[in-house]
Amino acid sequence: MRAFRYHRPADVAEAVTLLGAGTEAAYLAGGTNLVDLMKLGVQRPDVLVDVNRLPLGGVEALPEGGLRVGATVRNSDLAAHPVVRRDYPVLARALLAAASGQLRNMATTGGNLLQRTRCVYFQDTGKACNKREPGTGCAARHGQNRDLAILDWSEQCVATHPSDLAVALVALDAVVEVTGVDGPHEVPMVELHRSPGDHPERDTVLPAGSLITAVRIPPLAAARRSSYLKVRDRASFAFAAGSVAAVLDLDAGVVRDVRLAYGAVAHRPWRALRAEAELRGRPFTPELAGVAADAELASARPLRHNAFKVPLVRAITVRVLTELAEAAA
Ligand code: SF4
């Protein structure tokens, strides 16, 4: 591992300034992804700015409703928060579907959103990878790509984003609060992560040096009827083969509102707007849920080893929406 300088700033402004002191500086929060990447030589920061002692560890109810979650709130604490469990079950379930209990005790809200892809070639410094080293190629495009994207990939990168939390937050229309060298600003969750295009080395739209300080979750009464369903190769401690976050609001059996987002299908958490449009205003049936999923997945371009993801995501869409509709009956 490369030697690095370690800083523990007193406030957010000092953290942002300190990050600018390194050529490859990185923020350290839970470290559950960064430290692994440092051991593998995938990330080689010369400066680490430890944000764990910053006052970003609170969950606060907002006057207009909703929650403001500090960036260093641990995933396990957020999943257990009584308001999250009551008002946003999709969020609690997504958090509990991720990683192991030990990792959730360390992983933070901000860090979870910024974790890197688990594409095996990204983690192997001996393999071509445009995300790790721009211009070297993409070993996964014609290599082992079972776990990778079916939507919105480019010839430069077919990776998926691994976060479960991000998928739930996209469905909930959350907003990310950020501080950078130009001061504070906000980014809607649905715009935070990028499509790979010609620059897969950039996972998000955040300018270099930006620090996520909080995530705001708006009030959404319908979210009390929400869920997250994740399919993976083993029952615990695995990344998704496919996942769906869903909010369903029915009025006498007719879909008044619906929010859907998919995980493990693209370079970013995938808001399923076409599927939502198919569902809204129509009497809910499992068949309609299938039609909606088909509309969303019509643009899927499976790779050599992952065509199974199309029927998989369709099936979990139907299942999670049907379960929510039955619970409402
Ligand atoms: Fe790298 Fe992306 Fe290709 Fe994986 S899919 S090898 S992360 S460029």
Side-chain angles (χ1 to χ4, degrees), residues 47-66:
V47 171
L48 277 188
V49 179
D50 185 340
V51 299
N52 284 291
R53 303 267 177 105
L54 298 181
L56 304 174
V59 179
E60 152 195 12
L62 296 170
E64 65 274 23

Side-chain angles (χ1 to χ4, degrees), residues 117 119 121-122 128-132 137-141 148 156-159 200:
T117 184
C119 172
Y121 301 105
F122 175 73
C129 175
N130 288 323
K131 185 179 282 296
R132 177 172 27 78
C138 172
R141 173 69 184 88
L148 302 181
Q156 282 67 43
C157 182
V158 294

Side-chain angles (χ1 to χ4, degrees), residues 216-228:
R216 249 186 7 256
I217 307 168
L220 181 65
R224 284 198 176 192
R225 192 161 294 120
S226 64
S227 192
Y228 186 78

Side-chain angles (χ1 to χ4, degrees), residues 81-233:
H81 194 282
V83 176
V84 170
R85 289 164 56 109
R86 184 192 64 200
D87 292 350
Y88 305 100
V90 62
L91 193 55
R93 287 179 189 173
L95 286 159
L96 293 173
S100 63
Q102 292 92 335
L103 286 167
R104 293 195 295 270
N105 287 342
M106 288 300 295
T108 63
T109 303
N112 188 308
L113 304 183
L114 299 180
Q115 63 181 298
R116 310 301 307 275
T117 184
R118 293 324 197 267
C119 172
V120 293
Y121 301 105
F122 175 73
Q123 300 184 23
D124 182 344
T125 55
K127 298 292 193 302
C129 175
N130 288 323
K131 185 179 282 296
R132 177 172 27 78
E133 209 171 324
T136 56
C138 172
R141 173 69 184 88
H142 299 289
Q144 177 48 250
N145 47 40
R146 176 182 180 274
D147 297 329
L148 302 181
I150 56 171
L151 290 165
D152 198 38
W153 50 264
S154 72
E155 288 298 327
Q156 282 67 43
C157 182
V158 294
T160 51
H161 195 270
S163 170
D164 295 292
L165 171 63
V167 180
L169 291 174
V170 161
L172 292 170
D173 285 321
V175 173
V176 180
E177 298 180 8
V178 180
T179 294
V181 287
D182 296 327
H185 65 282
E186 298 182 353
V187 183
M189 254 311 294
V190 74
E191 295 173 13
L192 177 68
H193 296 93
R194 297 177 65 256
S195 299
D198 290 336
H199 290 285
E201 72 277 12
R202 289 176 7 219
D203 290 347
T204 72
V205 300
L206 299 180
S210 300
L211 176 66
I212 292 179
T213 53
V215 175
R216 249 186 7 256
I217 307 168
L220 181 65
R224 284 198 176 192
R225 192 161 294 120
S226 64
S227 192
Y228 186 78
L229 182 57
K230 171 177 178 176
V231 175
R232 47 191 161 180
D233 285 346

